[in-house]
Amino acid sequence: MSKTTVYEVEVMFGDCDPAGIVFFPNFSKWMDAASLHFFVQCGVPPWRELVKTRGIIGTPLLEIHTRFLKPATYGERLQVHTRVEEWREKVFIQHHVVRRGDDVLCEGRETRAFCIRHPDDPDRIKAIPIPADIRALCGG
Amino acid sequence: MSKTTVYEVEVMFGDCDPAGIVFFPNFSKWMDAASLHFFVQCGVPPWRELVKTRGIIGTPLLEIHTRFLKPATYGERLQVHTRVEEWREKVFIQHHVVRRGDDVLCEGRETRAFCIRHPDDPDRIKAIPIPADIRALCGG
Amino acid sequence: MSKTTVYEVEVMFGDCDPAGIVFFPNFSKWMDAASLHFFVQCGVPPWRELVKTRGIIGTPLLEIHTRFLKPATYGERLQVHTRVEEWREKVFIQHHVVRRGDDVLCEGRETRAFCIRHPDDPDRIKAIPIPADIRALCGG
Amino acid sequence: MSKTTVYEVEVMFGDCDPAGIVFFPNFSKWMDAASLHFFVQCGVPPWRELVKTRGIIGTPLLEIHTRFLKPATYGERLQVHTRVEEWREKVFIQHHVVRRGDDVLCEGRETRAFCIRHPDDPDRIKAIPIPADIRALCGG
């Protein structure tokens, strides 16, 4: 069964824009933090460890799709509920719901791949098949 | 005919993450700047003027959908090509392509609405029908 | 006696730079959040309330002076210890120490003033004498 | 003679806070970009090259001291004027003035050191004496 984790964020003044509400790319930043938090909660080491032991630099994004339902402002505490919705061979879909208590503020799907440095050119990155042991840790 | 504008960005060190590549929410930030740049290039005043004259606080996002094709890093100059793909009654779809010269790095669609402060509660915002004069300025 | 508050931050992946450590301006962002948190903990309303009731838009910075002693990275929990070191007529000095448990990572002093919109030009801002009631709430 | 370089920044909507002005840590981000731009203009390779050839990961900050004189807002073009004010054995002082045409908005001094990964622990960093060839390139 897929696991769901909850990552809590407190909105800072500097996260908000001249309209007084969260500048929307910050929701993507928080979903990204929630994505990594999901893996760490499932027992996967952080990327700075995995890069040393297995060459995995993280799970860069191939695609994001996000809907914004209600704004948030500084001082508020938000909860990002995260799970893996689908595992494919080389990519997986992570689903996030950002809530403020009972209010749903924002919902997003991310398509990600586990990546290593490209063997022919360390400045490029390359997707690898999803490691079976990591998938198993995540209840996939 | 729809207009297309080009907004140039130079990637900073602080835009990049531990993998050495642009942290993806920055692409959303740059598309947002390109969105505003599009309107200003079309002759629409910046939001801080429009809020005084017409109560319009800007064009908050309802939805984004972005595909990431190639990474970028600091010191590189990128070009965001922006146009309005579709005007509906209350929302419009803005389309952005982020290029590094001939390379397409990232492509995104934003669903946005012109918004004012809610008449019953200034802490909320409210979408209004797309102002005909603004649409006309944008070649809509 | 001056009060001290503690504001907790969890470092996100997106807060870190290509060297894998916190990109230093984020320490300023967190001290700013800790500054506002200090006032709210002392019973001062957030700026979005004060601007309506008293015209005060916040406490913009006149000067910062920060020393960086040790780096931090994502996944770590930091604590910002904040107090007002000195109240002058129009400005005050806020002092922050960022710790990771017993380790001191960063220390900073901010010179701030309470500001309103300039009466002659709403696009400019203007410092006011420090409100006595706010100072009293903060144990000044 | 010391060189001075100029780095231009266009302020984005997302760089501004609920007061409608640039959120101050962004000035630090821009000074950091101007610092790197200074070295690249002097002929020093970017850090991602230097880390491969000489192990140098960049010039992390030991201390910053910044004064904020006038605010800026989105759509404005700013110029960061950068030079090295002083070279010591292990650190150097970089001086930045942020202007909007003739207006001086912000002025800052940064104390930086060239750093490598610590030989005993790659998770730590270590300052090295300032490389003579790099200093010479910078007119030091």
Side-chain angles (χ1 to χ4, degrees), chain A residues 7-15 20 26 29-30 32-33 36-37 46-49 57 73-76, chain C residues 7-15 20 26 29-30 32-33 36-37 46-49 57 73-76:
Chain A
Y7 183 76
E8 191 148 299
V9 170
E10 185 167 335
V11 184
M12 299 186 193
F13 183 79
D15 293 320
N26 286 312
K29 184 191 178 199
W30 300 333
D32 185 70
L36 175 53
H37 179 256
W47 312 139
R48 65 180 169 272
E49 300 301 326
I57 62 160
T73 192
Y74 58 92
E76 296 179 345
Chain C
Y7 183 75
E8 191 149 300
V9 170
E10 185 169 334
V11 182
M12 298 184 195
F13 182 80
D15 293 321
N26 286 312
K29 183 191 179 200
W30 299 333
D32 184 70
L36 175 52
H37 178 255
W47 312 137
R48 65 180 170 271
E49 300 302 324
I57 61 160
T73 192
Y74 57 92
E76 296 180 345

Side-chain angles (χ1 to χ4, degrees), chain A residues 57 117 122-123 125, chain B residues 11-13 15-23 71-76, chain C residues 13 16-20, chain D residues 48:
Chain A
I57 62 160
R117 297 277 167 209
D123 284 341
I125 58 181
Chain B
V11 182
M12 298 184 194
F13 182 79
D15 293 320
C16 297
D17 66 20
I21 58 178
V22 169
F23 184 54
T73 192
Y74 58 93
E76 296 179 343
Chain C
F13 182 80
C16 297
D17 66 20
Chain D
R48 64 179 169 272

Side-chain angles (χ1 to χ4, degrees), chain B residues 3-4 18 24 47 51-52 57 59 64 72 83 100 105 107-108 110 117 126 128 131 140:
Chain B
K3 293 177 184 172
T4 297
F24 74 97
W47 313 137
V51 75
K52 290 181 207 157
I57 61 161
T59 55
I64 59 172
R83 65 194 175 87
R100 183 178 53 216
L105 304 186
E107 186 200 13
E110 301 172 331
R117 296 278 168 209
K126 184 180 179 294
I128 56 170

Side-chain angles (χ1 to χ4, degrees), chain B residues 123-138:
Chain B
D123 284 341
R124 287 166 55 205
I125 59 180
K126 184 180 179 294
I128 56 170
I130 290 172
D133 59 331
I134 291 182
R135 180 172 163 172
L137 280 172
C138 301

Side-chain angles (χ1 to χ4, degrees), chain B residues 60-81:
Chain B
L61 285 137
L62 304 180
E63 195 167 338
I64 59 172
H65 193 166
T66 314
R67 291 188 311 137
F68 303 96
L69 306 172
K70 290 187 182 178
T73 192
Y74 58 93
E76 296 179 343
R77 297 192 74 82
L78 313 183
Q79 300 82 38
V80 189
H81 297 250

Side-chain angles (χ1 to χ4, degrees), chain D residues 15-45:
Chain D
D15 294 320
C16 298
D17 66 19
I21 58 179
V22 169
F23 184 55
F24 74 97
N26 286 312
F27 283 109
S28 297
K29 184 191 178 200
W30 300 333
M31 290 181 186
D32 184 71
S35 169
L36 176 52
H37 179 254
F38 172 88
F39 286 109
V40 171
Q41 288 294 106
C42 289
V44 180

